[in-house]
């Protein structure tokens, strides 16, 4: 074997997914690579050219530009390039050029596709699309790790029985783990306190170790729900500690099993629809984090998860409207309560504020308007009590500006279209995401159809909306990293909402505007835009795959937060991701930036 082949083998052994190949396959692949030593500023391939294969940087640096010449990435050793075009239609979608003296390896397309077909690790690594795998919510086939809904509550063996009982009371639980430095020693249950402490007269000042069950049966995170059921039935117990590497990581109880089977979007919708008080509505929405855990843990697609969570918000809103009418009396004229923002797009996650407005029939008198102001306050306050906190930007029906007759709304849209200043662009962006929730839907849909047609025909307005859509950019650093937040509470993290899903949401809104498409949901907009020819089918496919990955990464992050006992948020530290996850997330951001650049290049032609 030549020295060159030996050096390539050694290099590939440090690069994923090549490091997963059997040794004989690795040798074959290494001899298939063609080495190229390139000078600085030498073009490797150009957008639109046929791709001869996959490129891998061995040393040096390569800058990657979109078709408009905008720099989207600088790649160093161990980074691949060209796979998007190779996997799509064999044509390069970017231009790659060296910045320094660089050595690249080129794997012929035929060999690349063989590896994709033969080795799952390659298919997973190079295919960014959503997983087609789904799992039914059958508790027997779920992993124990998916069923843990909160961190374990533990005490030390020295803790007194009285103190342990007080902890159980305050935490509303029936079992405590007993551990030393994270190592499980035993468990103690409410039944132990009844049968041992009270029945046998043990002093409550005694240590809990005197009554705990030593060396209890345990499960691991990889155990199945069937293991829980079988162990509990066979041994007639209701609590099972979960350990990993000898460390206590959770506690599964019969209550957890009941909660899992009881928490579904349908049950939450039922409970919200039949609630008699705001407090009962709040009790239903308090279960949304557990619903998030169940849905995301069940590997459901992100748009299914957010749709089901939004369905709960819709039902809560309509129930509050009925409460308001019961208190204030029937509405004097027809009205429509509409949602915008994430609820309007049916994209709510585990953390959402409220964005809403009221369309009121033109027959409303000034006295009638006072009625709707009270209705708006009642519903908005109720939503806040249910966890949908007040909008920081005051985009709510309680703001008189957003509680208006239909004719005023027509005037708003006319003004925004004809005078697209920055404020008009921002407001139009929000209001183009409106969706009827409760009341007379035609009060909005009549306005929507006319507005979309006139807006699409106004090239100046469209150009301004395109410019507004480019204000949120993916968090890409040039040196194959991420541009993280530099200071404050979320330092060294990236915002998966404003710099992740929002750029795609903004693109979808502009595509819908250009194509006069009534869809409001981002994924539906992208699919409709492709069908209408607003964007190419290949561009839509890339953007959908990128959006799916970003949105699902966001939900997985929120899942981990909830399971750790924290409130879900949108800020993730890149260091919390694996190399595999970081690589694919960054590739998804590159796709989004490329699509932003493409639509940005059309702005000048429209203005």
């Amino acid at each position: 074997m030549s020295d060159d082949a030996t050096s390539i083998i050694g290099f590939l052994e440090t690069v994923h997914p090549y490091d997963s190949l059997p040794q004989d396959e690795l040798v074959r692949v290494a001899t298939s690579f063609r080495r190229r030593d390139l000078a600085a500023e030498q073009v490797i391939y150009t957008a639109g050219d046929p791709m001869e294969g996959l490129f891998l940087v061995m040393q040096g640096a390569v800058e990657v530009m979109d078709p408009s010449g905008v720099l989207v990435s600088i790649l160093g050793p161990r980074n691949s390039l060209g796979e998007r075009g190779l996997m799509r239609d064999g044509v390069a979608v970017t231009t790659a050029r060296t910045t320094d003296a660089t050595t690249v390896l080129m794997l012929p397309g035929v060999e690349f596709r063989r590896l994709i077909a033969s080795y799952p690790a390659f298919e997973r690594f190079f295919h960014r699309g959503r997983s087609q795998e789904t799992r039914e919510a059958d508790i027997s086939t779920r992993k124990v790790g998916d069923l843990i809904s909160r961190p374990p509550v533990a005490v030390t063996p020295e803790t007194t029985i009285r103190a342990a009982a007080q902890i159980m009371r305050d935490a509303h639980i029936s079992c405590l783990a007993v551990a030393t430095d994270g190592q499980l020693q035993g468990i103690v249950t409410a039944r132990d306190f009844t049968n041992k402490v009270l029945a046998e007269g043990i002093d409550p000042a005694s240590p809990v170790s005197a009554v705990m069950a030593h060396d209890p049966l345990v499960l691991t995170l990889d155990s199945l729900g069937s293991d829980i059921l079988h162990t509990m039935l066979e041994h007639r117990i209701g609590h099972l500690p979960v350990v990993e590497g000898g460390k206590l990581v959770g506690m599964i109880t019969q209550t957890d099993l009941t909660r899992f089977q009881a928490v579904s979007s349908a049950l939450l919708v039922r409970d919200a629809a039949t609630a008699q008080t705001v407090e009962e509505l709040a009790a239903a929405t308090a279960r949304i984090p557990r619903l998030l855990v169940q849905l995301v843990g069940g590997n459901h697609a992100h748009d299914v998860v957010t749709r089901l969570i939004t369905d709960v918000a819709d039902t809560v809103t309509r129930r509050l409207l009925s409460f308001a009418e019961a208190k204030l009396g029937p509405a004097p004229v027809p009205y429509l309560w509409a949602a915008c923002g994430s609820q309007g797009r049916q994209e709510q996650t585990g953390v959402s504020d409220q964005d809403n407005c009221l369309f009121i029939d033109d027959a409303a008198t000034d006295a009638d308007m006072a009625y709707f102001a009270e209705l708006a306050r009642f519903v908005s306050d109720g939503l806040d009590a249910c966890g949908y906190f007040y909008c920081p930007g005051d985009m709510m029906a309680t703001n008189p500006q957003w509680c208006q007759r239909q004719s005023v709304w027509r005037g708003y849209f006319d003004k925004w279209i004809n005078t697209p200043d920055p404020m008009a662009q921002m407001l139009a962006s929000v209001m183009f995401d409106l969706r009827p929730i409760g009341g007379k839907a035609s009060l909005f849909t009549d306005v929507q159809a006319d507005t979309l047609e006139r807006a699409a025909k106004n090239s100046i307005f469209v150009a301004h909306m395109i410019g507004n859509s480019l204000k949120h950019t993916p968090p890409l650093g040039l040196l194959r990293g991420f541009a993280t937040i530099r200071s404050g509470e979320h330092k060294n993290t990236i915002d998966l909402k404003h710099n992740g899903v929002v750029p795609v949401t903004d693109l979808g809104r502009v595509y819908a505007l250009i194509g006069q498409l009534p869809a409001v949901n981002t994924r539906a907009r992208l699919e409709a835009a492709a069908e209408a020819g607003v964007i190419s089918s290949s561009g839509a496919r890339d953007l959908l795959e990128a959006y799916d990955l970003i949105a699902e990464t966001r939900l997985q992050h929120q899942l981990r937060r909830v399971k750790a006992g924290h409130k879900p948020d949108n800020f993730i530290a890149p260091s919390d991701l694996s190399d595999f996850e970081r690589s694919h997330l960054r590739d998804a951001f590159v796709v989004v930036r490329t699509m932003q650049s493409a639509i940005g290049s059309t702005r000048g032609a429209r203005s």
Side-chain angles (χ1 to χ4, degrees):
M1 184 180 299
S2 68
D3 291 342
D4 192 42
T6 301
S7 67
I8 292 176
I9 292 172
F11 174 68
L12 293 179
E13 287 176 335
T14 70
V15 181
H16 189 72
Y18 304 94
D19 58 353
S20 65
L21 292 173
Q23 188 62 30
D24 57 341
E25 184 66 88
L26 181 65
V27 172
R28 169 178 171 162
V29 172
T31 57
S32 298
F33 269 105
R34 301 170 189 171
R35 176 175 176 146
R36 295 182 182 175
D37 296 310
L38 307 174
E41 298 187 7
Q42 187 168 341
V43 174
I44 300 173
Y45 58 78
T46 303
D49 288 349
M51 290 292 301
E52 56 182 322
L54 176 76
F55 291 88
L56 178 62
V57 182
M58 191 170 185
Q59 63 181 24
V62 175
E63 57 184 10
V64 179
M65 296 155 287
D66 67 19
S68 301
V70 176
L71 181 67
V72 295
S73 187
I74 296 180
L75 306 180
R78 297 180 178 81
N79 290 144
S80 298
L81 58 151
E83 65 268 25
R84 280 180 56 212
L86 197 60
M87 295 180 69
R88 190 168 71 178
D89 54 11
V91 175
V93 296
T94 56
T95 295
R97 181 177 61 197
T98 62
T99 60
D100 306 305
T102 299
T103 298
V104 297
L105 304 176
M106 193 279 292
L107 184 67
V110 172
E111 185 69 7
F112 173 69
R113 283 184 278 272
R114 185 187 69 81
L115 290 173
I116 291 287
S118 303
Y119 294 95
F122 274 77
E123 197 280 333
R124 287 194 302 269
F125 186 83
F126 287 105
H127 184 67
R128 292 184 302 272
R130 68 168 64 190
S131 171
Q132 297 300 315
E133 175 191 0
T134 58
R135 293 196 295 264
E136 297 297 325
D138 178 358
I139 195 169
S140 65
T141 60
R142 297 295 295 273
K143 293 286 185 69
V144 165
D146 294 334
L147 300 175
I148 297 175
S149 60
R150 59 186 294 176
V153 180
V155 297
T156 65
E158 296 76 27
T159 303
T160 66
I161 293 172
R162 178 179 288 108
Q166 292 170 340
I167 291 171
M168 290 171 61
R169 177 199 63 194
D170 295 342
H172 304 288
I173 56 178
S174 59
C175 177
L176 281 173
V178 182
T180 302
D181 296 328
Q183 297 288 331
L184 182 69
Q185 305 295 319
I187 63 172
V188 62
T189 68
R191 180 176 296 180
D192 291 326
F193 290 156
T194 300
N195 294 343
K196 297 179 181 178
V197 180
L198 293 179
E200 298 181 11
I202 295 178
D203 185 356
S206 301
V208 74
S209 58
V211 295
M212 72 179 188
H214 295 266
D215 300 321
L217 294 169
V218 299
L219 299 170
T220 67
L221 292 174
D222 288 332
S223 299
L224 296 178
S226 58
D227 298 323
I228 304 172
L229 298 171
H230 297 163
T231 303
M232 286 185 172
L233 288 172
E234 181 180 352
H235 297 278
R236 298 184 180 183
I237 55 178
H239 308 84
L240 282 168
V242 182
V243 298
E244 193 71 14
K247 293 285 187 177
L248 175 70
V249 294
M251 181 76 71
I252 291 288
T253 70
Q254 289 179 338
T255 303
D256 291 320
L257 304 186
T258 303
R259 282 175 179 166
F260 177 87
Q261 294 170 323
V263 176
S264 72
S265 62
L267 289 177
L268 261 64
V269 165
R270 182 203 66 185
D271 291 348
T274 58
Q276 299 301 310
T277 65
V278 173
E279 290 72 22
E280 290 181 7
L281 283 175
T285 57
R287 288 148 56 195
I288 288 178
R290 294 204 299 272
L291 176 63
L292 177 75
V293 169
Q294 178 173 317
L295 293 173
V296 179
N299 205 30
H300 292 280
H302 71 91
D303 50 319
V304 173
V305 175
T306 56
R307 168 62 187 274
L308 294 176
I309 290 176
T310 305
D311 285 348
V312 178
D314 291 354
T315 304
V316 169
T317 303
R318 286 189 286 268
R319 193 63 180 148
L320 286 169
L321 287 169
S322 69
F323 288 172
E325 291 191 26
K327 177 181 179 181
L328 303 174
V333 297
Y335 72 93
L336 170 70
W337 184 281
C340 45
S342 59
Q343 184 182 2
R345 296 188 304 273
Q346 296 179 301
E347 294 168 1
Q348 287 190 317
T349 63
V351 51
S352 295
D353 61 356
Q354 54 175 293
D355 300 280
N356 44 60
C357 60
L358 272 171
F359 282 63
I360 302 165
D361 192 280
D362 283 340
T365 65
D366 289 345
D368 295 337
M369 297 302 289
Y371 169 94
F372 288 109
E374 288 189 60
L375 180 139
R377 174 52 60 191
F378 181 95
V379 175
S380 184
D381 287 347
L383 288 171
D384 183 70
C386 291
Y388 305 102
F389 53 88
Y390 299 119
C391 173
D394 204 21
M395 299 292 293
M396 299 181 292
T398 50
N399 182 337
Q401 186 176 6
W402 312 128
C403 179
Q404 290 292 344
R405 299 175 179 88
Q406 185 190 46
S407 58
V408 175
W409 280 104
R410 287 187 183 275
Y412 284 162
F413 282 106
D414 286 344
K415 180 181 178 182
W416 296 335
I417 293 169
N418 295 326
T419 313
D421 58 31
M423 179 58 71
Q425 297 166 34
M426 185 275 290
L427 295 174
S429 294
V430 173
M431 295 306 173
F432 273 123
D433 291 351
L434 284 174
R435 182 172 60 88
I437 301 298
K440 187 177 179 181
S442 62
L443 286 170
F444 168 66
T445 54
D446 291 347
V447 175
Q448 181 192 38
D450 179 56
T451 298
L452 277 174
E453 181 179 2
R454 288 186 295 107
K457 293 178 179 178
N458 188 320
S459 60
I460 295 177
F461 176 74
V462 173
H464 280 282
M465 287 294 288
I466 290 173
N468 188 67
S469 74
L470 304 179
K471 291 181 178 178
H472 293 99
T473 58
L476 286 169
L478 290 180
L479 299 177
R480 196 60 186 174
F482 296 97
T484 59
I485 297 171
R486 295 183 178 181
S487 61
E489 178 185 359
H490 303 296
K491 183 179 180 181
N492 296 329
T493 67
I494 54 178
D495 185 344
L496 287 175
K497 177 182 178 181
H498 291 102
N499 299 112
V501 297
V502 168
V504 185
T505 297
D506 290 343
L507 285 171
R509 186 182 302 113
V510 172
Y511 297 149
L513 172 61
I514 294 172
Q516 300 180 44
L517 307 171
V520 178
N521 175 266
T522 298
R523 208 169 197 284
R525 280 172 164 170
L526 298 180
E527 291 171 342
E531 292 177 7
V534 177
I535 52 176
S536 68
S537 59
S538 58
R541 184 169 61 249
D542 281 349
L543 189 56
L544 280 166
E545 290 182 352
Y547 177 54
D548 289 341
L549 190 144
I550 295 167
E552 287 166 7
T553 300
R554 179 190 183 199
L555 286 178
Q556 288 289 344
H557 166 69
Q558 293 189 359
L559 167 66
R560 289 190 292 270
R561 295 271 306 173
V562 172
K563 293 178 71 171
H566 305 304
K567 289 184 177 181
D569 66 19
N570 298 300
F571 301 94
I572 188 169
S575 58
D576 290 341
L577 300 172
S578 67
D579 289 344
F580 177 89
E581 291 169 327
R582 283 196 298 271
S583 174
H584 283 65
L585 183 60
R586 194 178 189 285
D587 286 345
F589 288 148
V590 168
V591 170
V592 176
R593 178 177 284 184
T594 301
M595 296 300 287
Q596 285 184 322
S597 178
I599 198 169
S601 66
T602 68
R603 181 185 179 192
R606 292 179 177 273
S607 58

